[in-house]
């Protein structure tokens, strides 16, 4: 295995795969209420095609794969894909980002297939507000998913909270208390302005402000996880078994340490979540391209990685919604 770096000397070892553009929720900051135009079955890569890309990427030094979407668990047979990826010897970390609604049903099979850990998106601990933010979900389903993930040892289970001023920022300390009472690993994420959502009305809460409010519970001390530290900065409250992370894509971007490529559900390689550039792998895959040809395309995507995004300058990300690209 050889490693690969981009034009800015960033080592690239992480592939995020969107397995479907479909989602069983309609979160206000992610999708319009009516949904977005959906891809057809034929548009979407088969699990075997995804695994072919992963095998080629693994030969270039990719050793971490995250499955996302859309909602990855709405695609039938996801454990089959996990098994195919787990069979690639040099992939040592397979993780899943999910809204947790269907997780209780699938956690055991996913674990047995080789999934290592999960991130669960959960923006509120209040059932009524959960229905309002997701437009159609039930909090108890996601909580059951989180419990199942703990039971099956899909650790560390990380809870991703997108913080929106006036919507859920009144719950910052409630989530922080979960790190004390239930050992949750909670990550607070700044809302990113992207096309196709209701961003106009949604306001970001800065991490400085989040910290100020959380520290009413005690001083936050820096902490490091054993796996999957990624772009978050982690802390602990005194005596907490769980941790608190902050992810600041807007106010303090972490592009300088970006180590990822993204594969969209319809087979495009994206050098950056927040830029529109894409390289098509589906057509070469379907005409039987060799591993070397795929590797050359992956190398091009790595070479095309931009230095950084421009959200902080007030330039929203353009192009396809997160549900298609794999947020
Ligand atoms: N359905 C899965 C889930 O809910 O985790 C995976 C896909 S979802 C697009 C991935 C993550 O992107 C979620 O944690 C979601 O909260 C986050 N997300 C979506 N739109 C966002 C935005 N505009 N700003 C920040 N995070 C966003």
């Amino acid at each position: 295995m050889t490693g690969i770096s981009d034009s800015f000397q960033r080592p690239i070892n992480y592939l995020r795969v969107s397995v479907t553009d479909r989602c069983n929720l309609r979160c206000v900051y992610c999708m319009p209420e009516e949904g977005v135009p959906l891809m057809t079955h034929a548009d979407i890569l088969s699990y075997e095609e995804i695994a072919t890309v992963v095998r080629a990427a693994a030969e270039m030094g990719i050793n971490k794969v995250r499955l996302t979407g859309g909602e990855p668990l709405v695609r039938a047979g996801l454990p089959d894909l996990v098994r195919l990826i787990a069979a690639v010897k040099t992939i040592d970390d397979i993780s899943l980002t999910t809204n947790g609604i269907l997780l209780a049903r699938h956690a055991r099979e996913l674990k047995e297939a080789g999934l290592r850990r999960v991130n669960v998106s959960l923006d509120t601990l209040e059932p009524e507000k959960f229905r309002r933010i997701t437009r159609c979900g039930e909090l108890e389903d996601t909580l059951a998913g989180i419990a199942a993930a703990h039971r099956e040892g899909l650790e560390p289970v990380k809870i991703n909270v997108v913080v929106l001023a006036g919507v859920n920022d009144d719950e910052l300390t409630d989530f922080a208390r979960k790190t004390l009472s239930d050992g949750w690993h909670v990550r607070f994420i700044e809302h990113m302005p992207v096309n196709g959502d209701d961003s106009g009305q949604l306001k970001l809460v800065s991490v400085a402000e989040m910290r100020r409010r959380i520290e009413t519970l005690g001083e936050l001390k820096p902490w490091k996880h054993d796996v999957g530290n990624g772009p978050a900065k982690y802390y602990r409250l005194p005596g907490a078994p769980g941790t608190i992370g902050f992810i600041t894509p807007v106010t303090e971007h972490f592009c300088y340490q970006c180590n990822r490529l993204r594969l969209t559900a319809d087979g495009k390689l994206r050098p950056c979540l927040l830029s529109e550039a894409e390289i098509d792998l589906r057509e070469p895959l379907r005409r039987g391209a060799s591993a070397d040809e795929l590797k050359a395309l992956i190398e091009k995507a790595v070479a095309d990685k931009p230095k950084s995004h421009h959200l902080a300058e007030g330039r929203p990300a353009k192009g396809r919604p997160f549900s298609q690209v794999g947020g």
Side-chain angles (χ1 to χ4, degrees):
M1 184 183 80
T2 54
I4 186 164
S5 296
D6 71 3
S7 337
F8 305 96
Q9 285 74 52
R10 293 173 296 201
I12 308 302
N13 70 337
Y14 182 16
L15 180 67
R16 290 177 74 105
V17 178
S18 174
V19 301
T20 178
D21 58 331
R22 287 160 203 255
C23 191
N24 45 0
L25 298 181
R26 292 281 177 276
C27 297
V28 290
Y29 56 82
C30 190
M31 265 203 212
E33 186 159 14
E34 65 281 9
V36 292
L38 291 176
M39 298 171 184
T40 66
H41 186 69
D43 289 332
I44 290 192
L45 294 191
S46 68
Y47 287 157
E48 190 44 60
E49 287 168 336
I50 293 173
T52 301
V53 175
V54 170
R55 284 191 285 267
E59 285 183 28
M60 304 175 71
I62 296 287
N63 62 357
K64 287 155 63 100
V65 175
R66 175 172 293 278
L67 305 177
T68 178
E71 170 49 41
L73 289 173
V74 301
R75 182 156 176 189
L78 193 68
D80 297 337
L81 176 62
V82 174
R83 260 185 292 277
L84 287 172
I85 297 173
V88 183
K89 285 210 170 53
T90 52
I91 300 293
D92 52 32
D93 186 19
I94 309 175
S95 56
L96 173 73
T97 297
T98 172
N99 58 37
I101 296 281
L102 299 171
L103 187 55
R105 249 181 259 178
H106 299 291
R108 175 159 305 170
E109 204 191 339
L110 287 165
K111 175 74 181 179
E112 285 168 359
L115 188 73
R116 182 169 182 189
R117 58 198 177 95
V118 292
N119 289 0
V120 181
S121 306
L122 172 63
D123 300 323
T124 176
L125 297 166
E126 298 170 14
E128 189 43 47
K129 200 191 285 184
F130 189 92
R131 279 180 217 120
R132 223 163 52 232
I133 294 177
T134 64
R135 294 196 179 106
C136 52
E138 290 300 329
L139 173 64
E140 63 186 280
D141 293 334
T142 294
L143 293 179
I146 292 169
H150 283 299
R151 238 184 355 259
E152 299 303 332
L154 291 165
E155 302 282 359
V157 179
K158 294 181 184 166
I159 312 299
N160 286 342
V161 186
V162 175
V163 182
L164 303 165
V167 177
N168 62 352
D169 59 332
D170 56 333
E171 294 185 66
L172 282 164
T173 49
D174 296 338
F175 275 105
R177 278 196 195 92
K178 288 290 224 181
T179 71
L180 290 155
S181 58
D182 297 71
W184 278 16
H185 300 295
V186 177
R187 308 193 311 167
F188 296 112
I189 303 174
E190 286 178 345
H191 170 255
M192 290 180 264
V194 287
N195 279 357
D197 64 12
D198 294 349
S199 310
Q201 296 109 57
L202 299 171
K203 295 276 172 293
L204 166 154
V205 181
S206 73
V207 163
E209 176 60 15
M210 293 186 212
R211 278 193 68 149
R212 195 188 61 73
R213 297 197 207 170
I214 292 167
E215 288 203 308
T216 57
L217 300 178
E219 192 191 348
L220 289 169
K221 291 259 169 65
W223 173 262
K224 251 194 171 342
H225 278 283
D226 294 338
V227 284
N229 280 284
K233 288 192 181 128
Y234 288 100
Y235 301 84
R236 263 182 203 271
L237 283 169
T243 56
I244 293 175
F246 296 104
I247 303 186
T248 54
V250 183
T251 60
E252 208 181 302
H253 76 70
F254 33 80
C255 303
Y256 66 91
Q257 65 178 65
C258 183
N259 60 347
R260 43 187 79 170
L261 285 178
R262 291 166 190 274
L263 180 64
T264 66
D266 56 349
K268 317 279 186 226
L269 258 191
R270 275 231 170 186
C272 168
L273 170 67
L274 297 170
S275 97
E276 282 175 276
E278 295 181 338
I279 291 175
D280 181 40
L281 295 188
R282 189 178 67 194
E283 185 278 327
L285 276 167
R286 292 190 178 169
R287 71 173 151 70
S290 66
D292 282 345
E293 194 180 334
L294 291 178
K295 280 170 23 185
L297 292 167
I298 295 170
E299 209 168 291
K300 176 158 173 34
V302 170
D304 286 354
K305 270 181 79 67
K307 189 170 182 193
S308 71
H309 66 66
H310 299 283
L311 290 180
E313 292 122 68
R315 286 154 63 183
K318 293 207 182 72
R320 305 208 270 171
F322 276 17
S323 56
Q324 289 195 350
V325 179

